[in-house]
């Protein structure tokens, strides 16, 4: 199957980016160096093309009911312009995907600033790369099964998405929008005009830093990307940034096929509202009552080496108790860090474990996540 | 993008370089290889006195994003290793043909070097 290409593929190529396949997309992994890009985001500001993220639009009289039944959090808490982190779970309560749900202006079927006023509740949510088609199908199937009146559109190919992240990101975004957006709190969003284009401008992101995510029409993507005068960053830096912040990577830290995990095991139980009715709710209520047996922990290698996805985690007696789901050399901390699931008796910070790096046991210590202070 | 390919040494298809000086063969990775790897964060090398075999692994190099094996250009005994890389692996990125060298081999048979690529041949390979 041919790779999907982001709208700025050529621009990134001209800028000297290296590319990688991610979720079926041909995405920039590195522009200058992961370390340079990572540091820009931690200390200044960087921009990411995250157009590979899905964009599903849900509107209609029953849009709220549909969203409520298919995501784990309580969407009725969202006022227009709010967003929330949520999971999409199966009947067993295992995470199929994690997502951010935005509530757009009511009746905003065409997703434009002019339509804010009355009408049906309208949501936009952002599935992970490569999952948009399956997610769209899931929404349609359940809508039909439950006979709900809602329109579900997959608009992944219509909108680009840029993340502008770092302590200086608010100033940079404020300079390019017509009206200030710095009054937005974390997880708040609204339409803002950049150049002549209306963009959904949200104070969200996936780096642990302050910043914004801009959802812009593909046709205007190049112009808006160019206006954001800062370090371009690839998926490599996004990966190191999110591990430091203890944020999950779909397909590694959870994978409904190869590594099924509940939100409680994954450390994101806060995305679950058991007062709402959703697919997986009953299973999660049982887990909540009975407790979990394994938990995602952060760890640092004490010995020299770099933990990588798939490496065994063992006790100090070399008994295998888990697997590394994500690992890297932390550019900020300059230490090798990682994430992995272990039985809860080994999950307390300070616990000594081992990671098997190419056949050699390396001492590791469980550490609290996030590894660094985040917003 | 163009890469440095000094003509005073020879190359492996796996992107190591070899430079013979006074009967000792110094080994590192190429400018192209360090660029492909990105930020180097860890280098695992053999001990002095260990035996290495031509075209077999002698160590491992890790960048933030990838792990790669390192291959010996000639068979012989490790005469010395660049211990500076343990504390400053970024030397491989900054100066791959100089300060970022990895080990020196006392070769069993220096004529093994004849089997390696010339700078021109290596340039063709990465073109």
């Amino acid at each position: 199957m041919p790779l999907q290409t982001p709208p700025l593929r050529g621009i990134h190529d001209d800028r000297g980016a290296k590319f990688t396949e991610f979720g079926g997309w041909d995405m920039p992994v590195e522009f200058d160096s992961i370390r340079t890009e990572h540091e820009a985001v931690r200390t200044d500001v960087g921009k990411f093309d995250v157009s590979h993220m899905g964009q599903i639009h849900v509107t209609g009289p029953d849009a709220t009911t549909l969203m409520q039944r298919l995501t784990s959090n309580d969407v009725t808490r969202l006022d227009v312009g709010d967003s929330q982190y949520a999971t999409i779970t199966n009947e067993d309560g295992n995470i199929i995907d994690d997502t951010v749900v935005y509530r757009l202006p009511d009746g905003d079927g065409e997703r434009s600033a002019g339509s804010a006023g009355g009408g049906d509740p309208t949501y936009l949510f952002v599935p992970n790369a490569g999952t948009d088609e399956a997610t769209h199908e899931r929404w349609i199937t359940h809508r039909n099964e439950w006979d709900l009146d809602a329109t579900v559109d997959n608009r992944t190919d219509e909108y680009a998405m840029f993340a502008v992240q770092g302590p200086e990101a608010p100033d940079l975004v404020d300079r390019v929008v017509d009206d200030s957006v710095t009054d937005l709190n974390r997880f708040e969003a609204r339409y803002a005009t950049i150049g002549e284009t209306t963009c959904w401008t949200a104070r969200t992101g996936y780096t642990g830093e302050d910043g914004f995510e801009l959802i812009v029409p593909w046709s205007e993507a190049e112009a808006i990307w160019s206006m954001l005068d800062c370090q371009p960053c690839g998926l490599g830096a996004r990966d190191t940034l999110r591990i430091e912040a203890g944020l999950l990577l779909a397909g590694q830290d959870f994978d409904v096929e190869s590594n099924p995990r509940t939100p409680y095991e994954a450390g994101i139980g806060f995305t679950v509202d058991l007062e709402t009715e959703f697919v997986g709710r009953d299973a999660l209520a049982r887990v909540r009552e009975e407790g979990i047996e394994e938990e995602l922990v952060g760890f640092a290698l004490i010995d020299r080496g770099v933990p990588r996805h798939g490496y065994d985690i063992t006790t100090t007696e070399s008994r295998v108790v888990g697997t590394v789901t994500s690992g890297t050399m932390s550019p900020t901390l300059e230490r090798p860090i990682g994430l992995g699931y272990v039985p809860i008796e080994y999950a307390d910070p300070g616990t000594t474990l081992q990671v098997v790096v190419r056949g050699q046991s390396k001492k590791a210590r469980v550490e609290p996540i996030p590894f660094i202070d985040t917003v | 993008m163009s890469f440095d390919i000094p003509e005073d040494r020879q190359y492996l298809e796996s992107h190591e370089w070899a430079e013979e000086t006074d009967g000792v063969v110094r080994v590192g990775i190429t400018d192209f290889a360090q660029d492909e790897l990105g930020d180097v964060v860890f280098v695992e090398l053999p001990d002095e006195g260990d035996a290495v075999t031509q075209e077999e692994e002698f160590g491992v190099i890790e960048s933030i994003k990838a792990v790669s094996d390192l291959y010996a250009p000639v068979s012989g005994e490790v005469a010395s290793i660049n211990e500076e890389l343990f504390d400053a692996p970024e030397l491989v990125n900054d100066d791959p043909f100089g300060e970022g060298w990895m080990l020196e081999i006392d070769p069993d048979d220096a004529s093994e070097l004849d089997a390696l690529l010339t700078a021109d041949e290596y340039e063709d390979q990465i073109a």
Side-chain angles (χ1 to χ4, degrees), chain A residues 212-257:
Chain A
F212 288 83
E213 289 177 299
L214 311 175
I215 297 175
V216 308
W218 272 47
S219 56
E220 304 304 320
E222 185 179 330
I224 291 170
W225 178 260
S226 302
M227 290 171 73
L228 300 164
D229 183 19
C230 63
Q231 172 72 50
C233 304
L235 293 181
R238 195 169 189 238
D239 200 28
T240 53
L241 288 158
R242 66 96 194 158
I243 295 182
E244 289 181 348
L247 301 169
L248 306 180
L249 183 64
Q252 281 191 199
D253 299 318
F254 62 84
D255 184 310
V256 76
E257 299 295 330

